Every structure is written in structure tokens, then in C-alpha cells.
Amino acid sequence: MDQSRRKFLTRFMVATAGLGVSALMPGMLRATPRDPKRLLAGGNALRLPAIFSGNSIVASSQAQTVWPDQPTTVWTLGGSYPAPTIRLKKGEQLSVMLTNNLQEPTNIHWHGLLVPSAMDGHAMDVVAPGSGKKYEFTIEQRAGIYWYHPHPDGSTGRQVYKGMAGFFIVEDDEEMALGLPSGKYEIPLVIQDRRVRTDRAFDYTLTMPDRMDGRLGDTILANGTPDAMFDAESTIYRFRLLNGSNARVYNIALSDHHDLHVIGTDCGLLDKLRSVKSFFLGPGERVDLLIDLSSYAVGNSVRLVAETFDNAIDWTTQGWGGDILRMNIVKEGPKRTLPMTLVAYEHLDPDNAVRTRSFSFKMVVPMPATGMHTINDLVYDGARIDLTVGAGDTEIWRLFNNSDEPHPIHLHGAQFQILSRDGTGIDDPKDMGWKDTVILWGKQVVEVVVRFSTHTGMFLFHCHNLEHEDDGMMMNYEIMKAESGVEETSSVDWSREKMELR
């Protein structure tokens, strides 16, 4: 028996232990991912998100054009899919009223932004149907690619999958002085996957594999566009990439393997440009990217793609590849040069950390009806405070993936820098700079140095595989004034021998 077959049978028997197999069999195995071009001939023009203006965002269900053959009912923030892009400068204030016209509670989490606890969109701080909430805060952090999406406990996966997510672009004078590509040469690009249905609906009916591994689609959408294409000029473009998928990790590359030029990660620019052939982008992560099209002749094209990659859970569709965006060179563009030097940023010194904490992320077996995904053997409880930290403190967090599947870990109310993966220093540009989300690969240990916000109150950290988050892989933590003291997490045996599915 080959290894992949053995892995499948092992996981299937574990999944069905103590449960009726008949309850799991419908849809247990996913359909083979398909090429979007099998659905649509010739491609579709890339849609660009609208720019937000005004002081109101309405959450509502609307019919929108996703596939051109028939409308799709999506849930929107601000009336469009994707949601309108919010652009503000550091020091400016956002003041917006969320009105909930859905039939269930919702809210807005400002992913990556350092905002007061009452404004953060905590999972338990929701807006009832027919009600509203005013979000108001000042932009404190450096220029970067942030985003916003709903975050109600147990419903985040469904609401994001239905369409509720948008960019939040922060600018500052230091970044603007670099003269990076802007206007029509700056493309915000949210990458998502959906399952294609004949009725074109964004159906969200979870199977056991969805709960185990996350909701994985069979078609890639770029800014909500399937089989997306873009008429480009032969010049340098700035792409602000966001993985807005529920669970899928992408291996980003160009179809001809020309260089991609990374200039920034989640929370801002790097100190210098770094060129790579490919990089992984997990749910919730962002990369600021320059793509140099100046060497392509008019009439040629190149594709931004997700390349296939090996994955330990090889009976699922995680690791599948496909086209993201085809760029057709239609005319000559302005001559530009790649900027080698960018923006200096503070590098946190781990020696200044006031403490070290450890966290284990795993899947419980035999699998319960709910709560199979845990942090330190705990399932999320909105009424429980799992730990406290000091306002403005720096800590080292050791993150252990006790399962075979990737877990993208996201912190609210804090930003961090990655120190190591499995004890090895960082050389991947995607892991550099200030971040708020990091992929933990199967059985991997990642060490980060975290600086917490000076805003006190309750915040979250969790897996940004949204089905894992909704299933319990989330914790509350409280930021307290330094003189209030902090609570240590319980001692855990982190030996490698203990890092296994139990």
C-alpha cells in the first residue's frame, strides 16, 4: 500500500471513530479541482474594488456579477464584492457606521490595525440584525496592506466565504516619498477560492473534511473575478496581494518563473527589495510586490499563478495550483527602475522580551461534533480570559503545530517579527518585516517576538483557517496596564516526542 493511500485510510478511520460513517460519507471526498478556463472561454476583465468614501458601511445580501452567465447572491460590506478599499494616511481618523441588514449578527475586524479593544471587532462584540455600531479610531501604524472582514464567533468562515472582505490601505509620507507605482499601476489583488456550482451560488454547507481541513474551493477568483485577465503596459506594476481565502495556502509565482520583487509584508515595507521565484501566502497574509513587465513585448502575456506543492495531507486539495491572473501586454509603458532601498524599520531585540510563552495547535481525535481544533488543549470560550499581557510589552511566543495541516496564526492587538522556523533563522522575504499572521506548517515550531499594543482590553489570537477558528482554535487575551501585572500560561511539555496527533 502506498504512503498517500495509507495516510488517507488512517485519517478516515480516525475521523469516523465513534461516529456513524453514514453521517460523514456524503461529500466526504472533494471533487477534483478544475481549471477556470474550462468554465469560461477567453477570460474576464479583472474587476478592481471601488474606493470607499463617506461614513457608512451596510452589511447586506445582494445579487452581483461574479460569473458572467448568471448573477450570484453574495453578502457584502459596502454594497460590492470585494468590499470597497479604504485608504487613509497615518494620523488620520476613520469614523464609520456599520448597519447590519443581514439576518444574523455580524461585525467588522480591522485585520492588522492597532485599534482600541472596543473597536477591534472581537468575536463576542457583534451587531444584531437591524442594528448598527460606530467604529471610530485613529490610524497609528506605518503604511501597509491591511484589510477588514467580519469576525462573529462561529460564523466568520461563512460570512467571509459569502463575500464580506475588503482592503484597508494605510499610507504615510515616508512610503510616498519613494515614488512607487501608483494610480493605474498599483493593483490591490485579493485572492480567494470558491466551489463552482451550476447555480453559481456561494454555498457554504460544510462537510467533515471542510471542518477538518478548512473550506477549500476548486476555482481561484482574483478580486472576485474567475479566469481573470488584465490589459497591462510594459512597465513595473505594484501588486498588493492579500490571501482572503478561508483555508487555502497559495504558492505564488509567475508562469515563466521570472523574478517577483518583494518590497513589503503584512504590516509595511521592508528595508530593501528582495527578489524570489515564488513564495507561500497563507490565509490572512499579505505581500507587497513589484512585477516588472518591461521586458515583455506588446502582444505577449504572462500569468500570475498558484503553483502546486507537496502537502502532508495529500488526499485533500491543499497544494493545488491554478491561474490567478493573466496579464496581456497591450502597449508600451513608462520606463521605471526597481527601487533597491526602501524604508528602514525597527528590528525587535528578543533579549528585551519580558517572558516567553508556548502554544500548541492541534486537532482532537476521535473527532467531536464541534471543538476538534484546540490551542493548548482548550476550545474557545468567549467568557474565558486565557492569558494577560502588559501594554506595550515585548514577549517571545513559541508556536507549535501539533498536526499535519498548516495553521496560519493571527494576533489581534499586536504585531510581531519571526525569529525562526524549527530553530533555523529566517531567509524567506515573506517572513521578514512586521507581521500579524504566520503560517505554521505541519509539525513545525515557529518562534516570534511580539510587541503588544498600548490599547488595553480584550483581544484575540487564533488560526486564520476560518473553519478551524470557528471550530474553537482561538483564545482571548487581555492587555493590561504594566503595573497591573500579567498572568503566566500553564507549563506544557513541548518535547518533539509529544508533538503528535492525540
Short mmCIF file of all heavy atoms in Angstrom, two decimals, residues 204-233:
data_model
loop_
_atom_site.label_atom_id
_atom_site.label_comp_id
_atom_site.label_asym_id
_atom_site.label_seq_id
_atom_site.Cartn_x
_atom_site.Cartn_y
_atom_site.Cartn_z
N TYR A 204 -22.35 27.42 1.35
CA TYR A 204 -21.47 27.15 2.49
C TYR A 204 -22.09 26.05 3.35
O TYR A 204 -22.55 26.28 4.46
CB TYR A 204 -21.24 28.43 3.30
CG TYR A 204 -20.13 28.31 4.32
CD1 TYR A 204 -18.80 28.37 3.92
CD2 TYR A 204 -20.42 28.13 5.67
CE1 TYR A 204 -17.77 28.26 4.85
CE2 TYR A 204 -19.39 28.03 6.61
CZ TYR A 204 -18.08 28.09 6.19
OH TYR A 204 -17.07 27.98 7.12
N THR A 205 -22.13 24.84 2.79
CA THR A 205 -22.60 23.67 3.52
C THR A 205 -21.38 22.82 3.84
O THR A 205 -20.76 22.24 2.95
CB THR A 205 -23.60 22.87 2.67
OG1 THR A 205 -24.68 23.73 2.28
CG2 THR A 205 -24.14 21.69 3.46
N LEU A 206 -20.99 22.79 5.11
CA LEU A 206 -19.73 22.16 5.50
C LEU A 206 -19.86 20.65 5.61
O LEU A 206 -20.82 20.13 6.17
CB LEU A 206 -19.25 22.73 6.84
CG LEU A 206 -18.89 24.21 6.88
CD1 LEU A 206 -18.32 24.57 8.24
CD2 LEU A 206 -17.91 24.58 5.78
N THR A 207 -18.86 19.96 5.06
CA THR A 207 -18.70 18.52 5.26
C THR A 207 -17.67 18.30 6.36
O THR A 207 -17.00 19.24 6.81
CB THR A 207 -18.24 17.85 3.97
OG1 THR A 207 -16.93 18.36 3.64
CG2 THR A 207 -19.19 18.14 2.81
N MET A 208 -17.48 17.05 6.76
CA MET A 208 -16.44 16.76 7.74
C MET A 208 -15.05 17.16 7.24
O MET A 208 -14.27 17.75 8.00
CB MET A 208 -16.47 15.28 8.12
CG MET A 208 -15.37 14.89 9.11
SD MET A 208 -15.41 15.84 10.67
CE MET A 208 -16.76 15.04 11.51
N PRO A 209 -14.68 16.89 5.97
CA PRO A 209 -13.37 17.38 5.51
C PRO A 209 -13.24 18.90 5.59
O PRO A 209 -12.15 19.41 5.85
CB PRO A 209 -13.30 16.89 4.06
CG PRO A 209 -14.15 15.68 4.03
CD PRO A 209 -15.29 15.99 4.96
N ASP A 210 -14.34 19.64 5.35
CA ASP A 210 -14.28 21.09 5.49
C ASP A 210 -13.94 21.49 6.92
O ASP A 210 -13.16 22.41 7.15
CB ASP A 210 -15.63 21.73 5.11
CG ASP A 210 -15.97 21.56 3.64
OD1 ASP A 210 -15.03 21.46 2.83
OD2 ASP A 210 -17.17 21.51 3.32
N ARG A 211 -14.54 20.82 7.88
CA ARG A 211 -14.26 21.13 9.28
C ARG A 211 -12.84 20.72 9.65
O ARG A 211 -12.16 21.39 10.42
CB ARG A 211 -15.26 20.42 10.20
CG ARG A 211 -16.68 20.99 10.14
CD ARG A 211 -17.58 20.32 11.17
NE ARG A 211 -17.00 20.43 12.49
CZ ARG A 211 -16.85 19.40 13.32
NH1 ARG A 211 -17.21 18.18 12.96
NH2 ARG A 211 -16.33 19.58 14.52
N MET A 212 -12.38 19.61 9.08
CA MET A 212 -11.04 19.13 9.41
C MET A 212 -9.96 20.02 8.80
O MET A 212 -9.00 20.40 9.47
CB MET A 212 -10.87 17.69 8.91
CG MET A 212 -11.68 16.66 9.68
SD MET A 212 -11.76 15.07 8.80
CE MET A 212 -10.03 14.61 8.77
N ASP A 213 -10.11 20.34 7.53
CA ASP A 213 -9.02 20.98 6.78
C ASP A 213 -9.34 22.37 6.29
O ASP A 213 -8.47 23.04 5.73
CB ASP A 213 -8.64 20.11 5.58
CG ASP A 213 -8.28 18.69 5.98
OD1 ASP A 213 -7.60 18.54 7.02
OD2 ASP A 213 -8.70 17.74 5.30
N GLY A 214 -10.58 22.84 6.48
CA GLY A 214 -10.98 24.15 6.00
C GLY A 214 -11.70 24.07 4.68
O GLY A 214 -11.58 23.10 3.92
N ARG A 215 -12.46 25.10 4.38
CA ARG A 215 -13.27 25.15 3.16
C ARG A 215 -12.37 25.47 1.97
O ARG A 215 -11.94 26.61 1.78
CB ARG A 215 -14.35 26.22 3.32
CG ARG A 215 -15.29 26.36 2.13
CD ARG A 215 -16.29 25.26 2.07
NE ARG A 215 -17.38 25.54 1.12
CZ ARG A 215 -18.37 24.72 0.88
NH1 ARG A 215 -18.45 23.57 1.51
NH2 ARG A 215 -19.32 25.03 0.02
N LEU A 216 -12.08 24.46 1.17
CA LEU A 216 -11.20 24.60 0.01
C LEU A 216 -12.04 24.58 -1.26
O LEU A 216 -12.86 23.69 -1.47
CB LEU A 216 -10.17 23.48 -0.02
CG LEU A 216 -9.19 23.45 1.15
CD1 LEU A 216 -8.43 22.13 1.18
CD2 LEU A 216 -8.22 24.62 1.08
N GLY A 217 -11.82 25.58 -2.13
CA GLY A 217 -12.57 25.67 -3.37
C GLY A 217 -11.88 24.97 -4.52
O GLY A 217 -10.78 24.43 -4.39
N ASP A 218 -12.53 25.00 -5.69
CA ASP A 218 -11.96 24.39 -6.88
C ASP A 218 -11.66 25.39 -7.98
O ASP A 218 -11.23 25.02 -9.06
CB ASP A 218 -12.88 23.28 -7.42
CG ASP A 218 -14.31 23.75 -7.67
OD1 ASP A 218 -14.50 24.96 -7.88
OD2 ASP A 218 -15.23 22.91 -7.65
N THR A 219 -11.88 26.68 -7.70
CA THR A 219 -11.63 27.74 -8.68
C THR A 219 -11.10 28.97 -7.96
O THR A 219 -11.59 29.33 -6.89
CB THR A 219 -12.93 28.09 -9.45
OG1 THR A 219 -13.34 26.97 -10.22
CG2 THR A 219 -12.71 29.27 -10.37
N ILE A 220 -10.09 29.60 -8.55
CA ILE A 220 -9.49 30.80 -7.97
C ILE A 220 -10.18 32.04 -8.53
O ILE A 220 -10.37 32.17 -9.74
CB ILE A 220 -7.98 30.86 -8.27
CG1 ILE A 220 -7.26 29.68 -7.61
CG2 ILE A 220 -7.38 32.18 -7.79
CD1 ILE A 220 -5.78 29.59 -7.96
N LEU A 221 -10.51 32.95 -7.63
CA LEU A 221 -11.06 34.26 -8.00
C LEU A 221 -10.04 35.34 -7.63
O LEU A 221 -9.50 35.33 -6.54
CB LEU A 221 -12.38 34.53 -7.28
CG LEU A 221 -13.49 33.49 -7.41
CD1 LEU A 221 -14.73 33.96 -6.65
CD2 LEU A 221 -13.82 33.22 -8.86
N ALA A 222 -9.79 36.26 -8.55
CA ALA A 222 -8.93 37.42 -8.31
C ALA A 222 -9.82 38.65 -8.26
O ALA A 222 -10.46 38.98 -9.27
CB ALA A 222 -7.88 37.55 -9.42
N ASN A 223 -9.89 39.29 -7.11
CA ASN A 223 -10.85 40.39 -6.90
C ASN A 223 -12.26 39.95 -7.29
O ASN A 223 -13.02 40.70 -7.91
CB ASN A 223 -10.44 41.63 -7.70
CG ASN A 223 -9.25 42.34 -7.12
OD1 ASN A 223 -8.82 42.04 -6.01
ND2 ASN A 223 -8.67 43.28 -7.87
N GLY A 224 -12.61 38.72 -6.95
CA GLY A 224 -13.93 38.21 -7.26
C GLY A 224 -14.14 37.86 -8.72
O GLY A 224 -15.27 37.61 -9.13
N THR A 225 -13.06 37.80 -9.50
CA THR A 225 -13.15 37.54 -10.94
C THR A 225 -12.58 36.16 -11.26
O THR A 225 -11.40 35.91 -11.02
CB THR A 225 -12.35 38.59 -11.74
OG1 THR A 225 -12.69 39.90 -11.30
CG2 THR A 225 -12.62 38.45 -13.23
N PRO A 226 -13.38 35.25 -11.82
CA PRO A 226 -12.84 33.97 -12.27
C PRO A 226 -12.15 34.11 -13.62
O PRO A 226 -12.56 34.94 -14.45
CB PRO A 226 -14.09 33.09 -12.38
CG PRO A 226 -15.20 34.05 -12.69
CD PRO A 226 -14.84 35.35 -12.01
N ASP A 227 -11.08 33.31 -13.82
CA ASP A 227 -10.34 33.35 -15.08
C ASP A 227 -10.00 34.80 -15.44
O ASP A 227 -10.27 35.28 -16.54
CB ASP A 227 -11.15 32.68 -16.19
CG ASP A 227 -10.32 32.37 -17.42
OD1 ASP A 227 -9.08 32.34 -17.30
OD2 ASP A 227 -10.90 32.17 -18.50
N ALA A 228 -9.40 35.50 -14.47
CA ALA A 228 -9.20 36.95 -14.60
C ALA A 228 -8.06 37.29 -15.56
O ALA A 228 -7.04 36.60 -15.61
CB ALA A 228 -8.91 37.54 -13.22
N MET A 229 -8.26 38.35 -16.32
CA MET A 229 -7.21 38.86 -17.19
C MET A 229 -7.13 40.38 -17.04
O MET A 229 -8.08 41.04 -16.63
CB MET A 229 -7.48 38.48 -18.65
CG MET A 229 -8.72 39.08 -19.24
SD MET A 229 -8.93 38.60 -20.97
CE MET A 229 -10.40 39.55 -21.41
N PHE A 230 -5.96 40.91 -17.39
CA PHE A 230 -5.67 42.32 -17.15
C PHE A 230 -4.86 42.85 -18.32
O PHE A 230 -3.81 42.29 -18.66
CB PHE A 230 -4.90 42.45 -15.83
CG PHE A 230 -4.38 43.83 -15.54
CD1 PHE A 230 -5.23 44.89 -15.35
CD2 PHE A 230 -3.01 44.05 -15.42
CE1 PHE A 230 -4.75 46.16 -15.07
CE2 PHE A 230 -2.51 45.31 -15.13
CZ PHE A 230 -3.39 46.37 -14.95
N ASP A 231 -5.33 43.91 -18.97
CA ASP A 231 -4.59 44.55 -20.04
C ASP A 231 -3.55 45.48 -19.43
O ASP A 231 -3.89 46.48 -18.79
CB ASP A 231 -5.53 45.34 -20.96
CG ASP A 231 -6.38 44.42 -21.84
OD1 ASP A 231 -6.01 43.25 -21.97
OD2 ASP A 231 -7.40 44.88 -22.38
N ALA A 232 -2.28 45.12 -19.62
CA ALA A 232 -1.18 45.81 -18.94
C ALA A 232 -0.27 46.50 -19.94
O ALA A 232 -0.32 46.25 -21.15
CB ALA A 232 -0.37 44.80 -18.12
N GLU A 233 0.57 47.36 -19.39
CA GLU A 233 1.61 48.03 -20.17
C GLU A 233 2.96 47.41 -19.83
O GLU A 233 3.11 46.75 -18.79
CB GLU A 233 1.61 49.53 -19.89
CG GLU A 233 0.28 50.21 -20.19
CD GLU A 233 0.25 51.67 -19.77
OE1 GLU A 233 1.34 52.25 -19.52
OE2 GLU A 233 -0.86 52.23 -19.66
#
